[in-house]
Amino acid sequence: MNERRKMISGELYNPADEELYTLRTKAHRLCMLYNRLFDTDEEERYKILYELLPYSSRDIYFQGPIYIDYGINTFIGRNFYANFNTTILDVCPVHIGDNVMFGTNVSLLTPMHSLRWQERNPKLDDDDNMIQLEYGKPITIGDNCWLASNVTVNGGVKIGSGSV
């Protein structure tokens, strides 16, 4: 199983993997481009969002700035709004339902690290490259939810529909 499959399956994986590095770099570049645009640059902003979040509804809005790790592991339903400074670290799937609103500084964080230092500390791989294994847990946010300002959702959390 390759590192990308391990990652989205919640297994220990090497985030320094070349494919994962390439995917992250693309997403980070798209976020930077999005963050440099004005609100009035709607067409260009939506074009970037659709490339960054290809499996999400077209009825989404991010105020910006945004920070998204991969984008391809995030699925957002219809009528979504996110205020300033949204962070989505989507090493595992992030599912956001319809009619969801985020306040400022909302963070969805799927990456996890071992609680045992013996597993958490960096190690050398077979080619003498320093690696630090991690894993992730998915996040699910139901329909009609509001995450107010400064909310952090960690991996493994499911928020039921209608929650505030």
Side-chain angles (χ1 to χ4, degrees):
M1 183 181 302
N2 69 21
E3 297 302 311
R4 182 175 176 188
R5 284 260 176 237
K6 291 179 193 175
M7 179 182 79
I8 62 174
S9 298
E11 298 180 25
L12 282 174
Y13 73 96
N14 177 5
D17 175 72
E18 186 175 333
E19 178 188 17
L20 297 179
Y21 174 80
T22 300
L23 291 169
R24 261 192 329 271
T25 301
K26 177 183 177 185
H28 295 177
R29 180 184 58 78
L30 290 168
C31 288
M32 187 173 63
L33 292 172
Y34 186 89
N35 295 338
R36 294 169 75 181
L37 294 171
F38 292 104
D39 293 357
T40 53
D41 297 326
E42 291 178 24
E43 187 174 322
E44 188 62 27
R45 285 172 63 127
Y46 283 117
K47 181 179 172 189
I48 292 169
L49 278 182
Y50 301 152
E51 186 175 352
L52 178 62
L53 300 163
Y55 306 114
S56 294
S57 166
R58 297 301 181 229
D59 189 14
I60 61 176
Y61 181 83
F62 286 85
Q63 181 63 48
I66 60 174
Y67 307 97
I68 300 173
D69 225 7
Y70 290 94
I72 58 174
N73 299 323
T74 296
F75 309 87
I76 303 173
R78 296 186 45 80
N79 197 29
F80 171 80
Y81 174 84
N83 211 320
F84 295 105
N85 207 36
T86 298
T87 299
I88 302 173
L89 302 185
D90 60 342
V91 304
C92 266
V94 172
H95 291 272
I96 300 170
D98 294 336
N99 303 307
V100 173
M101 297 187 309
F102 286 2
T104 57
N105 303 312
V106 169
S107 296
L108 308 180
L109 311 174
T110 66
M112 308 293 285
H113 298 280
S114 177
L115 299 178
R116 298 185 67 238
W117 66 266
Q118 296 91 337
E119 295 171 356
R120 186 176 57 245
N121 287 350
K123 299 173 180 47
L124 290 175
D125 68 8
D126 295 337
D127 297 321
D128 287 333
N129 297 311
M130 190 65 72
I131 62 168
Q132 184 172 12
L133 298 179
E134 64 180 44
Y135 66 101
K137 292 184 180 180
I139 292 173
T140 301
I141 300 169
D143 295 338
N144 304 304
C145 290
W146 171 37
L147 278 61
S149 295
N150 299 311
V151 170
T152 298
V153 180
N154 291 319
V157 170
K158 292 181 182 179
I159 299 175
S161 291
S163 296
V164 175

